[in-house]
Amino acid sequence: MQFDFFKIESQIAPKQGRIIISEPFLPGNYFNRSAVLLVEHSKEGAVGFILNKPVDFPVHEFMNEFTNFETQVYIGGPVSTNMIYFIHTLGNLVPGSVKVMDNLYWGGDFDHLKTLITSGVVNPNQVRFFLGYSGWSEGQLEAEIKENSWLVAETNVNSIMQSGDNFWLESVKQVGGRYSMWQNFPEDPNWN
């Protein structure tokens, strides 16, 4: 019996609110062992945020007005890395938010969010910040999935909001099956 652990057979298609999990040896600093939340997916392309690549600085290092708001900032992807983006569970409290899935929203009026944070209405577990985002043009993500770069998986709001730098590993374990072997592969195949 022969197994090809690198042939990905996603049973579900990419769509808004799902995650894509990189195969264990996907090259590059951004996407190596990453799990990306898709906040937008259409025939025109896709937008997402890497959930498991924390930056070494807390949010108040980027925004002085958040001095008492203890939360981590994550690298969202290689596009517009000089901009802060966010997802949250605040719904209509943040005007202009885009619903990603039940109880999870993307963006909205950032000044209003700052007011909510500085007035103590928002807890750190209700919002996640990202430097940059991940973007794919029309058909690009689907081509990468066919090339066995990504495994598409379901997730839930609690997992997304509580995810940390181990989220890739946790996601691989959650998918299970033949992909469970991925967790045992060394990050650098030369270490074997």
Side-chain angles (χ1 to χ4, degrees):
M1 185 181 290
Q2 186 177 18
F3 291 103
D4 185 353
F5 296 108
F6 301 104
K7 177 139 177 60
I8 298 173
E9 296 172 350
S10 287
Q11 301 299 313
I12 57 175
K15 79 172 197 177
Q16 184 178 31
R18 290 186 174 154
I19 59 171
I20 53 174
I21 305 166
S22 69
E23 61 94 349
F25 302 120
L26 189 66
N29 293 332
Y30 286 103
F31 296 122
N32 178 267
R33 294 191 183 218
S34 65
V36 180
L37 169 67
L38 296 176
V39 294
E40 183 178 300
H41 184 269
S42 69
K43 63 181 180 177
E44 286 85 32
V47 174
F49 298 107
I50 301 170
L51 296 171
N52 62 310
K53 304 280 180 164
V55 177
D56 290 333
F57 307 104
V59 71
H60 60 81
E61 295 283 332
F62 294 97
M63 291 170 276
N64 296 335
E65 59 266 76
F66 292 170
T67 54
N68 295 321
F69 196 70
E70 293 296 323
T71 190
Q72 189 67 50
V73 177
Y74 289 80
I75 296 171
V79 183
S80 295
T81 56
N82 60 337
M83 301 283 292
I84 293 274
Y85 298 88
F86 62 100
I87 59 173
H88 57 88
T89 59
L90 302 168
N92 294 333
L93 281 177
V94 181
S97 299
V98 174
K99 185 177 181 179
V100 175
M101 58 195 294
D102 285 343
N103 301 315
L104 185 68
Y105 299 81
W106 165 36
D109 185 333
F110 189 65
D111 289 330
H112 190 73
L113 176 66
K114 287 196 291 191
T115 300
L116 293 172
I117 288 172
T118 55
S119 63
V121 174
V122 176
N123 296 318
N125 62 349
Q126 294 176 294
V127 63
R128 290 197 58 186
F129 294 99
F130 302 92
L131 279 177
Y133 68 91
S134 302
W136 293 267
S137 60
E138 180 181 346
Q140 184 181 6
L141 178 58
E142 288 73 16
E144 290 179 14
I145 290 170
K146 286 179 185 172
E147 293 168 354
N148 298 310
S149 295
W150 300 101
L151 171 64
V152 182
E154 298 281 356
T155 191
N156 62 61
V157 175
N158 288 338
S159 294
I160 291 166
M161 296 307 287
Q162 296 173 10
S163 62
D165 54 352
N166 288 326
F167 192 62
W168 179 87
L169 183 61
E170 293 166 11
S171 298
V172 168
K173 286 179 184 178
Q174 183 71 31
V175 171
R178 64 197 220 137
Y179 305 107
S180 296
M181 293 294 293
W182 286 7
Q183 62 189 316
N184 299 320
F185 292 133
E187 284 198 44
D188 184 343
N190 295 321
W191 293 349
N192 211 4

